[in-house]
Amino acid sequence: MAAKRTVAIIGSLNIDFVTRTKRLPEGGETLAAISFDTGFGGKGANQAVAAARLAGPDVTVQMVGNVGDDSFGRDYVEALAKEGIDTKGVRQLSDGKTGVTNIIVEEETGENRILFVANANFDAFEKQQSAAWDLLPAQCDVAVFQLEIPVDVVLHNLHQAQERGIHTILNPAPAELLPDFVYQDIDTLIMNETESSILSGHPKTLDQPDDDAIIIVARQFLHWGVKEAVIVTLGERGLIYATISGQQGHIPARKVTVVDTTAAGDTFAGAYAVERAKASAGEFDIEKALTFATLAASKAVGKAGAMTSIPRLEELQV
């Protein structure tokens, strides 16, 4: 029997406070919202749950991050364990507060606006490099990162992962300009259209929904050092991808009724990471992986909520 592959998701864990409203209030306006709910979220944890639900029997998922020792943190560790996620890498900070996220969802469009307070996601790390920065588990095949923990900590672990031969995936959200050297430590870069504009330093490049222009931007990141693939997700227009081997193309989005886009990108990233891990010992069919991840994301946007909207593998069977 082949050994199980392991995906490590290294990132944030937040408690979501979700308000659903018909429209956003104007400045100074008080508006009655439709509903309010709380749930588990954070890009890192969302991606871990997506990977765990979509992994099947061949892949193990680990979550690495920090929560407080408050009731939110304790409940969170228990919830992840129920998803079958290895939680040994989730630290509960003494006297710490778990991160929180405020999400406003517009009912008419399904679009969301998000504000987060990092709390334990940042408080666990000293400003100067220390042993606390070393987050990689002892064994993993694919390591997935976002930017909801300190950027320097992310860059440190990306480099460590490259040195150990671990396939690295970066989902640079929330987006910010990164130093040029970091791209040499990234195997796969997954970002949406806005994020690709910010990271490329050319925000006007993607004003027009032109496939050729987006491929040029994707290839710019390959030129900067990304080792395998750059993927730019485009919402209802699908995605554009380009690889270091010269493969490139467009994968269309599934036609679905959009309810809530909150966890769509995280579902995509988790699904892709699982497919990449399964292929780490052999040939990798990127179009097959992208089609799988696109299908998973389409299931997520059809449901309300973040983690609650992430599908399970059986929901993708056709």
Side-chain angles (χ1 to χ4, degrees), residues 12-16 39-42 76 98-101 116-118 121 148:
S12 58
L13 302 99
N14 297 324
I15 296 297
D16 289 342
F40 300 109
Y76 214 140
T98 301
V100 296
T101 303
F116 82 99
V117 183
N121 294 300
E148 287 187 346

Side-chain angles (χ1 to χ4, degrees), residues 9-13 41-49 63 146 148 266:
I9 312 291
I10 300 172
S12 58
L13 302 99
K43 294 191 69 63
N46 285 343
Q47 291 175 13
V49 168
M63 179 68 213
Q146 322 78 34
E148 287 187 346
D266 295 333

Side-chain angles (χ1 to χ4, degrees), residues 60-64 80-81 84-90:
T60 296
V61 178
Q62 300 181 13
M63 179 68 213
V64 181
L80 292 176
I85 295 169
D86 183 336
T87 62
K88 289 193 297 291
V90 180

